[in-house]
Amino acid sequence: MNKNSEINTNNKNTFLTDYCLHLADNSLILAQRNSAWCGHGPILEQDIAITNISLDILGQARNFYQYTAEILNSSKNNSSAAVTEVTEDSLAFLRDNREFKNCLLVEQENGDWGKTILRQFLFSNYQYLLYLQLQNSADEKLAAIATKAIKEVTYHLKWSSEWVIRLGDGTEESHQRITQSIHELWPFTEEIFINAKYENELTEDKIAVDVSVLKDAWYKKTAAIFAEATLTIPENVFAQKGGKHGAHTEKLGYILAEMQFMQRAYPGCIW
Amino acid sequence: MQSFIKKYYYGDIPDDVAGSTTVISKEINKDATWPLWEVFIRSKQGLDHKHAGSLHAADAQMAIENARDVYTRRNEGVSIWVVESKYIHSTNPDEAESFYEPAADKIYRHPTFYDLPDAVKHM
């Protein structure tokens, strides 16, 4: 292998691990957010529902982290430097704010039940379309994870869609509250459909999904559900971006502080 | 403002601390509580639906989804029925004596008085 192609392989690997981390972080941060509802749901049955969803997407995050760790460890074996092994846990608990590549939407605060539902709907709507395509990825591992996860996400989308309709077309208060949430969350939806560098680099090889082409289908589904829910999509909203390459809102720091505290304070602790 | 969703607290942390920006008014509208539903689960194709328990939901669709989340998370089912509890009629416990006890001493109603040929198996 000549030096140039070696560098190319290394670059490709970095793009692939960045992409995996992006997918994993999206799921992990949303799972962490949703898990805060455990014990606080508006009613027992819905408390279990949101916690189930949280566990589903945590499982997806684990799959992506495990794959990332696998790639990182195997590429390290090629070089002579002895470095400690990367694990799914070290990726989740020992990376800092700027290394997280999740989109800004998932780190937004839970707010009331309506805001949590709406965030889930906006995200599941995207994740469903994403996994639908990712099933055909040239990377077999990613394709397999997507094939497994899409069944879960199909349910998340159905469940959250019905809740959006229920709240939007419910009472005056529920309508007004979810409208407020739409205004709070909408600025963070645009970013999802702008390809980051690692996505651009990998779409050519059919490894990553070109997210820009998902937007139309996403918008159509959102518009249909909102119409049924008597809600309107805001127009001319300034789009917030940055999360996918590590520039986050201040909220992520608080999430990580809580999530990573144990491993930072007691490195390597298990229970 | 009336609250149409009754809040069932079973944690001890009130809503304002738990993440909600506004606390839903505590006044409870009696018509606003979600009705009770009975859940029946079929564990395998070919078996009967069996009563699994009950839950609260606003409508049938939500009841089925709640049942899916509450009663089938450990792979318990392949099919779910729900029916609003108010549509289930039952016998009156006060009438148990006249309803059930007369059957207790009629052993001749059990098919145990036949001599079976040896050739018959699995009876």
Side-chain angles (χ1 to χ4, degrees):
Chain A
M1 197 183 271
N2 68 37
K3 193 129 200 187
N4 269 342
S5 73
E6 197 172 308
I7 288 169
N8 271 339
T9 326
N10 278 344
N11 274 343
K12 279 278 177 236
N13 262 350
T14 312
F15 293 135
L16 181 57
T17 50
D18 278 358
Y19 186 54
C20 290
L21 285 173
H22 160 64
L23 298 173
D25 293 344
N26 269 350
S27 294
L28 176 69
I29 299 302
L30 187 57
Q32 176 72 12
R33 273 298 192 208
N34 282 347
S35 73
W37 277 102
C38 185
H40 305 292
I43 182 166
L44 174 73
E45 290 82 357
Q46 297 306 330
D47 188 294
I48 297 176
I50 193 78
T51 315
N52 277 351
I53 291 176
S54 180
L55 286 170
D56 283 350
I57 44 188
L58 181 66
Q60 295 166 18
R62 286 193 59 192
N63 287 330
F64 287 123
Y65 283 133
Q66 284 162 2
Y67 183 38
T68 315
E70 203 179 288
I71 303 168
L72 288 174
N73 288 327
S74 68
S75 61
K76 262 174 204 151
N77 289 343
N78 295 334
S79 65
S80 52
V83 200
T84 45
E85 210 192 8
V86 180
T87 64
E88 53 174 322
D89 285 332
S90 72
L91 290 170
F93 295 121
L94 300 178
R95 281 180 309 139
D96 213 348
N97 202 311
R98 295 302 293 254
E99 293 166 87
F100 272 77
K101 295 173 177 45
N102 58 280
C103 57
L104 300 174
L105 177 69
V106 296
E107 69 199 42
Q108 298 311 305
E109 279 159 335
N110 283 348
D112 56 20
W113 181 249
K115 189 172 176 183
T116 296
I117 291 296
L118 181 72
R119 186 184 59 200
Q120 189 64 48
F121 167 69
L122 297 172
F123 183 74
S124 292
N125 189 4
Y126 146 76
Q127 215 182 23
Y128 175 77
L129 296 166
L130 176 83
Y131 286 166
L132 214 55
Q133 302 286 322
L134 196 62
Q135 290 183 100
N136 307 319
S137 169
D139 186 301
E140 279 174 25
K141 224 29 182 277
L142 290 181
I145 298 173
T147 306
K148 178 172 179 282
I150 191 139
K151 292 177 205 144
E152 297 167 346
V153 176
T154 306
Y155 183 75
H156 303 166
L157 181 58
K158 177 180 152 75
W159 179 86
S160 57
S161 299
E162 274 164 21
W163 262 108
V164 169
I165 295 166
R166 193 170 276 128
L167 293 176
D169 195 19
T171 67
E172 200 184 312
E173 183 181 3
S174 71
H175 180 89
Q176 173 249 316
R177 281 192 186 217
I178 198 158
T179 302
Q180 175 63 30
S181 303
I182 292 172
H183 288 289
E184 286 168 18
L185 291 178
W186 199 259
F188 303 105
T189 54
E190 182 76 24
E191 176 202 28
I192 298 172
F193 303 102
I194 303 170
N195 283 306
K197 187 169 167 52
Y198 43 84
E199 284 170 315
N200 272 329
E201 296 288 340
L202 294 172
T203 42
E204 217 172 280
D205 300 335
K206 306 249 182 293
I207 292 173
V209 175
D210 178 359
V211 286
S212 64
V213 303
L214 303 180
K215 197 181 171 185
D216 282 345
W218 180 86
Y219 193 88
K220 226 170 138 191
K221 170 82 178 176
T222 307
I225 297 296
F226 276 24
E228 213 178 328
T230 69
L231 297 165
T232 36
I233 293 182
E235 279 167 34
N236 300 324
V237 176
F238 179 76
Q240 301 281 351
K241 2 181 209 291
K244 288 169 78 168
H245 57 260
H248 293 280
T249 61
E250 73 281 10
K251 283 144 195 148
L252 184 66
Y254 293 99
I255 300 175
L256 296 186
E258 188 173 349
M259 188 178 77
Q260 297 182 336
F261 168 79
M262 286 296 277
Q263 280 304 316
R264 302 285 193 184
Y266 305 95
C269 84
I270 48 169
W271 68 81
Chain B
M1 191 174 281
Q2 289 176 324
S3 72
F4 285 84
I5 296 177
K6 184 181 170 188
K7 305 273 291 181
Y8 292 84
Y9 290 111
Y10 56 96
D12 51 0
I13 302 179
D15 217 22
D16 48 346
V17 193
S20 176
T21 41
T22 340
V23 183
I24 293 178
S25 63
K26 292 274 159 44
E27 73 178 78
I28 290 163
N29 179 344
K30 229 185 152 200
D31 301 328
T33 54
W34 290 349
L36 192 67
W37 298 74
E38 300 300 323
V39 179
F40 300 84
I41 308 254
R42 162 187 278 174
S43 58
K44 263 202 284 187
Q45 294 297 350
L47 295 183
D48 299 332
H49 285 76
K50 285 220 168 68
H51 187 233
S54 56
L55 46 74
H56 289 93
D59 52 40
Q61 187 59 40
M62 195 203 269
I64 287 178
E65 284 171 20
N66 285 351
R68 182 259 191 197
D69 285 327
V70 175
Y71 291 112
T72 67
R73 47 202 305 271
R74 295 181 188 88
N75 225 1
E76 291 97 332
V78 294
S79 168
I80 297 173
W81 286 351
V82 293
V83 61
E84 238 188 290
S85 307
K86 69 179 179 191
Y87 293 120
I88 291 187
H89 303 272
S90 69
T91 52
N92 186 344
D94 295 342
E95 293 168 346
E97 257 179 44
S98 60
F99 250 75
Y100 306 115
E101 279 186 21
D105 60 354
K106 313 238 175 359
I107 55 163
Y108 52 84
R109 288 179 181 168
H110 294 270
T112 50
F113 299 95
Y114 301 96
D115 290 325
L116 285 181
D118 289 342
V120 178
K121 288 177 179 117
H122 309 299
M123 280 290 281

